[in-house]
Amino acid sequence: MNPANQPADVIANLSNSALRVRLAEIDSEIEKLQARVHHALDAIIYPILSLPVEITSEIFKQHLIQFFGSPSEADVLPFVDLARARDGGPLLLSHVCRAWRSIALNMPSLWSRVRVSSSETDPSDWQELLQCWLARAGNQSLDLDLTGGLDQNQTARLFSTVAPYSFQWRSFQCYWTNPVSIPNEIIRGRIPCLYELRLWIKRDDVGPGKPEIPIITAFSDAPALRKVELSYLAPKSVSLPWAQLTHLDLYGQAIDQAIQVLHQTPNLERLSTDLRTGRALHGVQPTPVVLGHVHELSLSNVFDNVTKYLPYFTVPGLKTLNVDSIFYDGHLNAAALLSMLTRSRCSLETVSMLCIYDFAITALAAMDKVRQVDLQPADWSSSRLAQFFSRLASDSKFLPNIRSLRIWNCGAIIPYTELVRMLAARFYNRRADEGKLESFHLIRDSGEVDPIPSAEVEDQLRGLRNAGLDIHIKRLNKRKLKISYQDFD
């Protein structure tokens, strides 16, 4: 009789040697049973594991985009925030199973964009995780975002972790809560691939009575550097290869210092500057600058300082102008802007504006070569929107060459009568020397619910679409007491 199958009362009378024999037999049976179970599990093919590696890799990328991304990063792998790294992203994917771990560890792009964003947690808590992250990126170019608000000690400790990988840096962003200097010697001369740099400090740390910020020289030798953004950090506080830059964003700068550094950027193609926070001129007036290669100019937070900045700019090659947040004297600010454009003698083609009605009408009336207009109306009423459409319909000299009109983040109820009249006038009734509207997009996102268009309006819109005009209207529609979006088809 098999000792393993003997009754309990019999077992109790077995000798020690007999009990050891039984235990050995039970262990053997357990091992055989485990082997059979593992064999059965290995024979199961889970559908997700049968996918080609290329498809699984794409699923991983889409997971990162959905978990860490934003609408502006719809087609780009986003930064992975280490503060959330255990909740989603490549770290979580690599712990699902052996197959997924192998795929994740063999996708260096998943580990190549990393952000340290918490200002409340000591970066040393993440040093081990950050080191693991950077190692798994392999030879991939790195995008680093240290935006947690770092003091001098934290900055030094994080730099000691990321500095060994400086030869792979493609972009680098850093924000300080105090005006301290980067440990310059750690990376200077060791960033051959750095293409984009963003440096920010707190606004409260600059200005009269504040300590002088030590000059940052860490990025002075960066042969691939082309894009730079400085926020409240004066250009004089950073040693950079200004002459090779093609993109420059300046926020919170004194006007004289901003103009001074622009004289050192002969190859600049895109300039963005914040006109609200720029501090006024003191002492000697700066020498006006001609930005010969700038084809795109962005003026953000435009308030009363627009009349202080723009007289110093001449942009003869300007093609694209982006302006937002003009809420004060629309005619005055428009005059300052148009004076700059007249002086530049540029052929403006694309205009994007977040603006009040007076500014839009005044500025656009002088832009006779513009082909594309993007408007974000600032507190436009439905009647103002109707006036704008009526001007386009009745005045052939107002934006005579417009081909594309996009109105987004609109809060005003759509005036359908004026809209269809404008579309018909700009699509059908055009002379050979006038532009013909090819695209019209109107995106509602707030405000009162739109009325349902009449059958006549819908027929007219449908006829225009069938004739070739690209029309996309997203209106606010009330259904079952809930506001939802509805596209016009």
Side-chain angles (χ1 to χ4, degrees), residues 9 40 60 96 126 172 174 192 194 213 227 248 253 258 262 269 272 345 394 408 421 459:
D9 57 340
F60 286 4
V96 171
W126 297 332
F172 180 85
C174 193
L194 185 65
I213 297 175
K227 301 176 68 174
L248 181 60
Q253 306 296 339
L262 289 175
E269 298 175 2
S272 178
R345 298 183 180 179
S394 60
W408 54 290
R421 189 164 70 88
D459 287 343

Side-chain angles (χ1 to χ4, degrees), residues 148-374:
L150 311 173
D151 60 29
Q152 190 165 10
N153 181 53
Q154 292 171 332
T155 300
R157 294 169 74 176
L158 267 178
F159 261 73
S160 68
T161 303
V162 300
Y165 301 88
S166 64
F167 284 89
Q168 296 171 236
W169 293 6
R170 192 203 71 86
S171 71
F172 180 85
Q173 305 179 41
C174 193
Y175 169 75
W176 295 280
T177 55
N178 295 294
V180 298
S181 176
I182 283 178
N184 293 311
E185 300 302 328
I186 252 181
I187 63 168
R188 185 166 54 205
R190 302 180 180 90
I191 44 175
C193 300
L194 185 65
Y195 176 78
E196 183 174 358
L197 175 67
R198 296 181 178 181
L199 300 177
W200 313 324
I201 62 173
K202 286 177 62 177
R203 180 180 182 180
D204 295 341
D205 290 328
V206 295
K210 298 294 183 179
E212 192 74 13
I213 297 175
I215 296 179
I216 299 171
T217 61
F219 307 100
S220 58
D221 184 8
L225 188 62
R226 295 295 182 271
K227 301 176 68 174
V228 169
E229 178 180 322
L230 301 179
S231 292
Y232 298 102
L233 184 65
K236 68 176 183 179
S237 300
V238 191
S239 177
L240 292 174
W242 299 104
Q244 67 191 41
L245 301 186
T246 58
H247 297 62
L248 181 60
D249 297 345
L250 295 173
Y251 302 123
Q253 306 296 339
I255 298 174
D256 51 350
Q257 292 186 26
I259 301 299
Q260 184 179 4
V261 78
L262 289 175
H263 282 282
Q264 304 176 49
T265 57
N267 295 305
L268 204 61
E269 298 175 2
R270 295 184 180 180
L271 171 64
S272 178
T273 183
D274 184 332
L275 303 186
R276 175 185 62 182
T277 53
R279 295 179 296 285
L281 293 165
H282 299 286
V284 180
Q285 298 289 311
T287 304
V289 60
V290 177
L291 303 170
H293 291 91
V294 169
H295 59 79
E296 181 172 345
L297 176 63
S298 298
L299 306 174
S300 61
N301 294 318
V302 179
F303 291 90
D304 57 336
N305 277 328
V306 67
T307 56
K308 300 174 184 176
Y309 261 96
L310 296 185
Y312 298 96
F313 289 169
T314 301
V315 279
L318 190 64
K319 300 294 184 184
T320 300
L321 176 66
N322 307 306
V323 186
D324 70 74
S325 298
I326 298 183
F327 295 120
Y328 292 149
D329 192 326
H331 294 295
L332 177 64
N333 285 327
L337 177 63
L338 294 175
S339 177
M340 182 200 69
L341 297 177
T342 300
R343 180 174 63 254
S344 300
R345 298 183 180 179
C346 57
S347 297
L348 203 60
E349 297 179 356
T350 300
V351 175
S352 176
M353 296 180 180
L354 186 162
C355 57
I356 61 175
Y357 179 81
D358 288 343
F359 177 89
I361 295 298
T362 304
L364 294 176
M367 298 179 179
D368 56 356
K369 293 183 173 60
V370 167
R371 299 167 61 90
Q372 178 176 332
V373 175
D374 289 356

